[in-house]
Amino acid sequence: MSLSKSSQGKKRKHMSLSLNDKLCVIEKLQKGASVSSICAQYGIAKQTVSDIRKKKDEIRKFILKFNVEKETIRGIEIQAAADRLAKQLNINNFKASSGWLFRFRRRHNITNKKICGESLSADNEAVEPFRKNLNDILKAENILPSQLYNYDETGLYWRALPDSTQASKADKNTPGRKISKDRVSALLCANADGRHMLKPVIVGKSKKPRAIKNIMDTLPVHYYNSKSAWFTSDITLDWFHKKAVPEIRRYQTEILKIPDDKVKALVLLDNCPAHPQVEQLTSDDKKITCMFLPANTTSLIQPMDQGVIYTAKRLYKKKLLNEILEVEEPAAGEEDRRGYKTLQNHKNYNIRSMIYNFASAVKDIKPSTLINSWKKLLINEEVEPDTAELETEDFHNIFHQGGENSATLEDIELWLEADEYDLGYHILTEEEIVESVTATENSETDEYDQDEADDNVNPKPKLGEIKDHLNIVIKYVEDNNDENISAYYEHLRHLRELIVKEITRKGRQPKISSFFKPVSNVNNESVP
């Protein structure tokens, strides 16, 4: 049938679909809806539908990247609703704990801020074939649980506190303060039998932060830097070949007593942009290799994402509070200076404190937590993370002990989960790629973070004051019957000895005036 001139010259009205509309189109196509019905519903051409179908993976990644999702939901509301339903259904001994909430969110792909669209849900269909394939490989290659590893990255807001706390309010009122500088990325890697966790990795912005510039080689973490504290493929490659492979090899030969020529390992990882191709992540002897998990299955089966990273962050934040919160209540009639002392402690808390607290938190992760994190992947068994003493209520009590009574449960939950979905990497835009390349030369010479240097320049205490305080601590240890405390007695005495030697050394140094003798006249009278 021929078209009239008027119809030939008439252009189709351009319809601009929102991301949510495109998401719905993808969902309808997956459910078997016809292209014609979708075109009629949205007023778009068949070519538009075809383009959306071709770019469905890119659309999903974009939405996940920028957190463009459908409706807001808070964890505290989920927990309250679950508790109400349990009561209505006469389910006894149920508590919507933080561990339960963690597992619920992973199952339904819910973040602390949004609930994702249906097509953003994890790819359940890809899990079972991968599980079977993985188990076949483990059997065929005779790879033991101690030789199977997983690693994953995450972001950490290492100085952040709930918005309602005094320190947080003071921090925001500080001129020039940028929250982004208080963020680092971290990497955790462990094997499937729960007995070997590799040395953690931290990525900061500064090449040599002032607080750790003299101890870079003795840190309890591997420290790297990038412009925005994100993991990059170069960092990942360096860590894998120079740190991870030697650590895995050393563990197997020295601890497991496996002959050097029998060492092998399979490392699982997700296919995020910061990860190079698996061919690049292979040891020189081809004995330690990597394997990608299926796309969109991280929340379902990636071991480090099944409670390990979650636990590490909560343990870290507990150590942060223990270090900066002043919890000793004033005596009757005394002024309550807890808030002031907490502000000072928070100001003095630097990246060195963070590194040691994070490493300590990772060390405190129970082997059972590591073992349980693999069960979903290997045997399709879901285990709730152990959140004993890490519940929101536990942190609420700590804040109240420190006089921070304005911090509500909701404030604390938002603080605990603020960095839970920070992936530790960033997909660079074209502008950011150009900026990172052109800034390389400058970043190599800019060793110190000036903001950090300005914030943490404090007068050094006098050696005599240090010795006096050590005397008090040593006396406390002497009078204490706790074996865990008394174990440090010898170390403290040794430290005091070093301080005394330093005081003596400085006391023996002649003053500059002693190098100049008074001039005498001919009558042997001193001339002033």
Side-chain angles (χ1 to χ4, degrees):
M1 181 176 68
S2 63
L3 297 173
S4 64
K5 291 182 179 180
S6 60
S7 62
Q8 286 177 338
K10 185 177 180 180
K11 294 182 178 179
R12 178 185 298 275
K13 182 179 178 181
H14 176 70
M15 294 296 295
S16 179
L17 297 183
S18 68
L19 285 170
N20 278 334
D21 287 336
K22 292 178 180 179
L23 201 58
C24 291
V25 168
I26 294 170
E27 291 175 0
K28 291 179 183 296
L29 287 170
Q30 289 181 330
K31 291 179 179 179
S34 67
V35 173
S36 299
S37 65
I38 293 174
C39 291
Q41 180 177 354
Y42 291 96
I44 55 178
K46 291 183 178 180
Q47 184 59 46
T48 302
V49 178
S50 177
D51 290 341
I52 292 173
R53 190 202 300 269
K54 291 178 183 177
K55 297 179 179 180
K56 66 181 184 223
D57 291 334
E58 295 177 27
I59 293 171
R60 287 170 174 163
K61 287 180 181 178
F62 183 90
I63 292 173
L64 286 171
K65 172 186 172 184
F66 291 102
N67 207 27
V68 182
E69 299 160 334
K70 290 189 172 179
E71 66 180 278
T72 60
I73 190 166
R74 295 179 299 176
I76 200 167
E77 294 171 344
I78 297 175
Q79 289 171 294
D83 284 329
R84 287 196 303 270
L85 286 172
K87 290 180 180 179
Q88 293 172 12
L89 296 172
N90 296 320
I91 300 176
N92 299 321
N93 300 321
F94 171 81
K95 180 185 178 183
S97 65
S98 296
W100 174 88
L101 179 64
F102 173 87
R103 187 158 54 91
F104 179 84
R105 281 175 167 165
R106 286 298 186 276
R107 187 186 304 120
H108 299 288
N109 200 30
I110 300 174
T111 72
N112 61 317
K113 294 181 179 178
K114 306 284 185 178
I115 178 168
C116 303
E118 183 179 342
S119 71
L120 289 179
S121 60
D123 190 354
N124 285 278
E125 295 180 358
V127 171
E128 189 54 41
F130 178 81
R131 180 183 292 117
K132 183 180 183 305
N133 182 44
L134 174 62
N135 282 307
D136 288 345
I137 291 173
L138 298 179
K139 184 177 181 180
E141 300 293 333
N142 194 27
I143 296 175
L144 303 172
S146 58
Q147 297 172 314
L148 178 63
Y149 288 80
N150 170 239
Y151 78 83
D152 193 22
E153 304 91 344
T154 187
L156 179 68
Y157 302 156
W158 59 273
R159 288 184 81 246
L161 292 172
D163 291 340
S164 56
T165 58
Q166 297 178 64
S168 183
K169 291 176 181 177
D171 210 29
K172 289 181 179 179
N173 292 330
T174 302
R177 167 67 70 184
K178 296 180 181 179
I179 295 177
S180 60
K181 79 169 194 174
D182 295 335
R183 178 199 170 281
V184 296
S185 295
L187 179 151
L188 297 183
C189 180
N191 67 357
D193 73 356
R195 297 180 181 179
H196 186 211
M197 174 164 271
L198 274 65
K199 196 173 185 178
V201 182
I202 292 290
V203 178
K205 291 196 301 182
S206 307
K207 186 176 181 181
K208 290 184 179 179
R210 186 176 299 273
I212 60 173
K213 65 185 179 70
N214 295 323
I215 57 170
M216 297 291 288
D217 295 332
T218 59
L219 292 172
V221 303
H222 298 302
Y223 181 85
Y224 292 88
N225 77 292
S226 66
K227 181 176 175 57
S228 299
W230 298 106
F231 273 93
T232 65
S233 58
D234 287 341
I235 290 175
T236 303
L237 276 172
D238 187 272
W239 167 76
F240 179 81
H241 288 286
K242 296 181 180 179
K243 313 297 184 185
V245 168
E247 284 186 54
I248 292 172
R249 189 177 301 280
R250 188 163 53 248
Y251 174 74
Q252 293 191 20
T253 56
E254 296 181 4
I255 305 300
L256 301 183
K257 305 301 181 183
I258 295 176
D260 189 64
D261 61 339
K262 300 295 183 181
V263 168
K264 57 185 173 184
L266 176 62
V267 184
L268 305 180
L269 65 156
D270 59 40
N271 55 355
C272 84
H275 294 162
Q277 295 299 312
V278 289
E279 293 79 12
Q280 296 176 279
L281 295 174
T282 302
S283 63
D284 293 339
D285 61 2
K286 311 299 182 184
K287 296 293 186 65
I288 301 176
T289 61
C290 288
M291 180 180 181
F292 280 139
L293 294 162
N296 301 323
T297 60
T298 292
S299 63
L300 289 175
I301 59 174
Q302 177 154 243
M304 293 300 101
D305 205 41
Q306 305 303 311
V308 178
I309 289 176
Y310 172 92
T311 301
K313 286 185 174 182
R314 294 214 168 197
L315 286 169
Y316 166 79
K317 291 178 180 181
K318 192 170 184 180
K319 292 177 184 293
L320 165 67
L321 297 185
N322 288 339
E323 184 161 335
I324 67 171
L325 280 182
E326 191 69 28
V327 298
E328 186 174 0
E329 295 187 13
E334 289 185 356
E335 179 186 359
D336 189 348
R337 292 175 55 82
R338 285 178 296 175
Y340 171 78
K341 291 182 178 179
T342 295
L343 286 174
Q344 291 302 115
N345 293 339
H346 187 249
K347 181 180 179 181
N348 295 335
Y349 191 83
N350 58 28
I351 196 167
R352 182 172 181 168
S353 305
M354 177 277 294
I355 285 174
Y356 278 87
N357 276 335
F358 186 76
S360 177
V362 171
K363 189 176 180 180
D364 287 348
I365 297 175
K366 299 176 183 177
S368 59
T369 298
L370 298 175
I371 294 171
N372 289 338
S373 71
W374 286 86
K375 290 184 177 179
K376 183 64 177 177
L377 169 61
L378 297 177
I379 59 175
N380 196 21
E381 180 181 330
E382 193 167 12
V383 180
E384 185 173 312
D386 180 4
T387 57
E389 300 184 0
L390 297 175
E391 297 282 348
T392 305
E393 292 84 356
D394 297 317
F395 287 92
H396 188 254
N397 292 335
I398 295 174
F399 277 108
H400 278 227
Q401 289 172 8
E404 295 287 356
N405 298 318
S406 60
T408 66
L409 283 171
E410 184 175 349
D411 293 335
I412 294 168
E413 183 198 25
L414 291 175
W415 164 67
L416 286 171
E417 299 178 347
D419 54 15
E420 184 175 345
Y421 296 91
D422 186 319
L423 302 177
Y425 65 87
H426 175 61
I427 303 175
L428 297 178
T429 63
E430 292 182 5
E431 292 80 5
E432 289 171 329
I433 292 173
V434 173
E435 183 182 358
S436 66
V437 172
T438 56
T440 299
E441 184 176 348
N442 293 333
S443 64
E444 287 300 311
T445 57
D446 183 19
E447 293 190 344
Y448 307 115
D449 181 357
Q450 188 59 45
D451 290 335
E452 180 191 294
D454 292 340
D455 285 347
N456 294 286
V457 176
N458 297 302
K460 293 183 178 180
K462 295 180 179 179
L463 291 174
E465 294 175 348
I466 296 174
K467 188 191 77 170
D468 292 340
H469 287 299
L470 272 173
N471 287 337
I472 295 173
V473 175
I474 290 172
K475 178 61 177 173
Y476 168 77
V477 174
E478 285 178 349
D479 297 339
N480 199 294
N481 295 322
D482 189 327
E483 292 183 359
N484 293 322
I485 294 177
S486 60
Y488 292 93
Y489 180 71
E490 185 176 351
H491 298 285
L492 289 169
R493 290 184 61 86
H494 180 61
L495 177 58
R496 183 176 62 181
E497 183 180 344
L498 293 176
I499 295 297
V500 171
K501 286 182 178 179
E502 184 67 9
I503 292 173
T504 303
R505 185 185 67 81
K506 288 194 172 184
R508 289 175 179 170
Q509 288 180 347
K511 296 182 179 179
I512 190 169
S513 59
S514 66
F515 289 98
F516 302 96
K517 295 182 178 180
V519 179
S520 301
N521 58 22
V522 292
N523 297 319
N524 292 324
E525 294 177 352
S526 296
V527 178

